[in-house]
Amino acid sequence: MSASRTARERARAELTREITDTARRHLATAGASGLSLRAVARELGMVSSAVYRYFPSRDDLLTALIIDGYNDIGAAVERADAARDRGDHPGRWLAVCHAVRDWALAHPHEYALLYGSPVPGYHAPRETVAAAIRDTVVFGGIVADAHRAGALHPPDIGPTPPASFGGDAERLREVIPEVPDDIVARAVTMWTGLYGWVSFELFGQFNNTILDRAAAFDHNARCLAGLVGLTSSHGDRD
Amino acid sequence: MSASRTARERARAELTREITDTARRHLATAGASGLSLRAVARELGMVSSAVYRYFPSRDDLLTALIIDGYNDIGAAVERADAARDRGDHPGRWLAVCHAVRDWALAHPHEYALLYGSPVPGYHAPRETVAAAIRDTVVFGGIVADAHRAGALHPPDIGPTPPASFGGDAERLREVIPEVPDDIVARAVTMWTGLYGWVSFELFGQFNNTILDRAAAFDHNARCLAGLVGLTSSHGDRD
DNA sequence: CAATCTCAAGAGCACTGCTCTCGATTTGAT
DNA sequence: ATCAAATCGAGAGCAGTGCTCTTGAGATTG
């Protein structure tokens, strides 16, 4: 696969990019269900059937946008994590939380496409999962690093994970290596808690309730971190 | 407003119910975006334009379904709470968590309609919020009851809520009366954590990751309860 | 040069939400 | 009991959708 074989192939690649670009713009304004293949074609000055040469169906176009979205938020999370000192585990967690929220606020419709209700009749193909776990890998790395450094002091909260969680924990250790079951379980709670907050904020559940959302979110992220005892000794901010 | 004034009004009420009923059935199979006003009319043996006599637009039909959904899950949560001894605060919290998850699993498309991505162009009217907070009121009542009974022993996890949270806390105390700011903040984390878990499970984020979901969810609910120290002394199950 | 492959265009199908008009029926006041 | 007013179902129609198929022009390759 050389950089550009024939003129035709180059034109094809370019047009494919143009289609996904305008589709992403339409998605940003009209949402996933308002994404019209015909409207995209119209804006590009071509007829609707021509687009089908590039994407066999609307769902395939959606898949391309989903993969792009996962990679975009994944890269944002990786950048936020990399900008922190590797030993500052609480700071890394907070930075990553804010990266997720900031990205979601900047791309609400794309976030809804990734983490909201699945579009009916659409089944995510295999290619999406590789991109989907980029942020999860970052989360797991932070918790695993903190555990390895002996920086985790989970409070005695009571419950221990059920025995049946062992298999799931083993699978999750691919992302949070060398971490015992109970901490893996609490990491999942942190994980779902983070996205639960962002989803509630974006999907309107906080309307007329929580107004200073940035501050409340930051506190929420710190509370979640406390579940595994990932607390900074001197409480620094971003 | 007597039970049934004229024959016409009775027929109208009955047909309205029939429309929402079949619409809910269609919603359950095809999802919100697959809900077709024409298909509903077809199944009822009438022409599409006739339905517009009862619901001026598809969005109004959606609103009716949303209100019904909030009331349905709200009633389920209230029932689960009422079935428990009022003094068993951890048991009430767990029962309520499982009620939410069970309802969501039984009505996935309705759950997506209520807590998933908002349908583009649709703006929830005022009537929905009254029904939307029924479950929230139950949650708040449990935490408030436990606090009043002195049964809350929140672990020292570190962060204190920012000063700007005071206003939000004051507003939230309408639902969690007499509870101090820091516990209100953690209650919000419990709240978002609960729905975050259910949404992740329903929207496919746990695929190929967490398999024994009922057990993991139960543990997740107990961990969240631990955030405010709402732990049962003798760890009873449902 | 010629055969092949690629692609844009257009027509068409079945579907959607929604509007408007047109008669038929029911209602409520006279 | 009568009659105007309100209500309602049916139908046609508009603009839009995803998607399929055919057609003909152009680029690519032997």
Side-chain angles (χ1 to χ4, degrees):
Chain A
M1 250 172 253
S2 68
S4 58
R5 279 233 321 256
T6 78
R8 225 216 275 270
E9 288 196 2
R10 246 184 308 130
R12 180 182 183 84
E14 195 167 327
L15 229 169
T16 305
R17 258 191 55 81
E18 275 186 54
I19 291 174
T20 56
D21 281 351
T22 74
R24 193 181 354 269
R25 277 209 339 274
H26 283 211
L27 175 74
T29 63
S33 70
L35 176 63
S36 158
L37 232 159
R38 290 179 109 114
V40 171
R42 209 177 304 132
E43 182 169 327
L44 258 53
M46 57 167 108
V47 86
S48 78
S49 60
V51 180
Y52 284 85
R53 298 263 170 207
Y54 299 85
F55 293 95
S57 82
R58 183 174 169 274
D59 280 6
D60 292 271
L61 179 54
L62 261 182
T63 297
L65 293 178
I66 288 174
I67 291 177
D68 285 2
Y70 275 128
N71 278 321
D72 204 35
I73 190 175
V77 164
E78 286 168 3
R79 254 181 283 121
D81 180 47
R84 283 288 191 150
D85 176 30
R86 303 288 298 167
D88 179 15
H89 310 110
R92 287 169 66 190
W93 161 255
L94 280 183
V96 152
C97 286
H98 281 102
V100 167
R101 177 169 178 268
D102 290 346
W103 189 91
L105 289 178
H107 311 83
H109 285 110
E110 282 186 81
Y111 179 88
L113 185 62
L114 303 181
Y115 296 102
S117 353
V119 316
Y122 174 81
H123 275 279
R126 285 288 171 83
E127 307 102 82
T128 60
V129 303
I133 62 165
R134 279 180 68 171
D135 50 5
T136 316
V137 168
V138 175
F139 298 146
I142 295 173
V143 176
D145 284 358
H147 173 71
R148 203 177 299 122
L152 251 37
H153 306 96
D156 180 23
I157 258 176
T160 54
S164 66
F165 186 68
D168 293 337
E170 188 58 34
R171 210 168 305 115
L172 284 161
R173 259 188 287 273
E174 227 170 283
V175 167
I176 327 180
E178 300 174 35
V179 169
D181 286 15
D182 59 334
I183 293 188
V184 170
R186 294 198 188 182
V188 172
T189 299
M190 291 168 67
W191 181 42
T192 56
L194 163 60
Y195 283 95
W197 212 100
V198 174
S199 292
F200 259 34
E201 177 173 359
L202 245 76
F203 298 163
Q205 235 76 28
F206 283 162
N207 288 350
N208 311 320
T209 306
I210 292 177
L211 303 186
D212 188 0
R213 289 162 192 182
F217 171 76
D218 186 82
H219 180 66
N220 178 67
R222 289 169 192 269
C223 284
L224 290 173
L227 274 173
V228 295
L230 189 66
T231 53
S232 62
S233 44
H234 32 292
D236 56 333
R237 201 78 171 223
D238 63 324
Chain B
M1 247 174 255
S2 67
S4 56
R5 282 236 316 256
T6 77
R8 191 179 251 170
E9 288 197 2
R10 248 184 308 131
R12 183 181 180 84
E14 195 168 327
L15 229 169
T16 305
R17 257 192 56 80
E18 277 186 52
I19 291 174
T20 56
D21 281 352
T22 74
R24 192 182 355 267
R25 278 209 339 273
H26 284 210
L27 176 73
T29 64
S33 71
L35 176 63
S36 158
L37 233 158
R38 290 179 109 114
V40 171
R42 211 177 303 132
E43 183 168 326
L44 259 53
M46 57 167 107
V47 88
S48 78
S49 60
V51 180
Y52 283 84
R53 301 266 175 205
Y54 298 85
F55 293 95
S57 81
R58 183 175 170 274
D59 281 6
D60 292 272
L61 179 54
L62 262 182
T63 297
L65 293 178
I66 288 175
I67 292 177
D68 285 2
Y70 275 128
N71 279 321
D72 204 35
I73 190 174
V77 163
E78 287 169 3
R79 253 181 285 121
D81 180 47
R84 283 288 191 150
D85 177 32
R86 303 289 298 168
D88 178 16
H89 310 110
R92 286 168 66 189
W93 161 255
L94 281 182
V96 153
C97 286
H98 281 102
V100 167
R101 177 170 178 266
D102 290 345
W103 189 91
L105 289 178
H107 311 84
H109 287 110
E110 283 185 81
Y111 179 88
L113 185 62
L114 303 181
Y115 297 102
S117 352
V119 315
Y122 174 82
H123 276 280
R126 285 289 170 82
E127 308 101 82
T128 60
V129 303
I133 61 166
R134 278 180 68 170
D135 50 5
T136 316
V137 168
V138 175
F139 297 148
I142 294 172
V143 176
D145 285 356
H147 173 71
R148 203 176 299 125
L152 251 38
H153 306 96
D156 180 22
I157 256 175
T160 54
S164 66
F165 185 68
D168 293 336
E170 188 56 36
R171 209 168 306 114
L172 283 161
R173 258 188 287 271
E174 227 169 286
V175 167
I176 327 180
E178 300 174 36
V179 169
D181 286 14
D182 59 334
I183 293 188
V184 170
R186 294 197 188 183
V188 173
T189 299
M190 291 167 67
W191 181 41
T192 55
L194 163 61
Y195 282 95
W197 212 99
V198 174
S199 292
F200 259 34
E201 177 173 358
L202 244 77
F203 298 163
Q205 234 77 27
F206 283 162
N207 287 350
N208 310 320
T209 307
I210 292 176
L211 303 186
D212 188 1
R213 289 162 191 181
F217 171 76
D218 186 84
H219 181 66
N220 178 67
R222 289 169 192 270
C223 284
L224 290 173
L227 274 173
V228 293
L230 189 67
T231 53
S232 61
S233 44
H234 31 295
D236 56 332
R237 201 79 171 224
D238 62 323

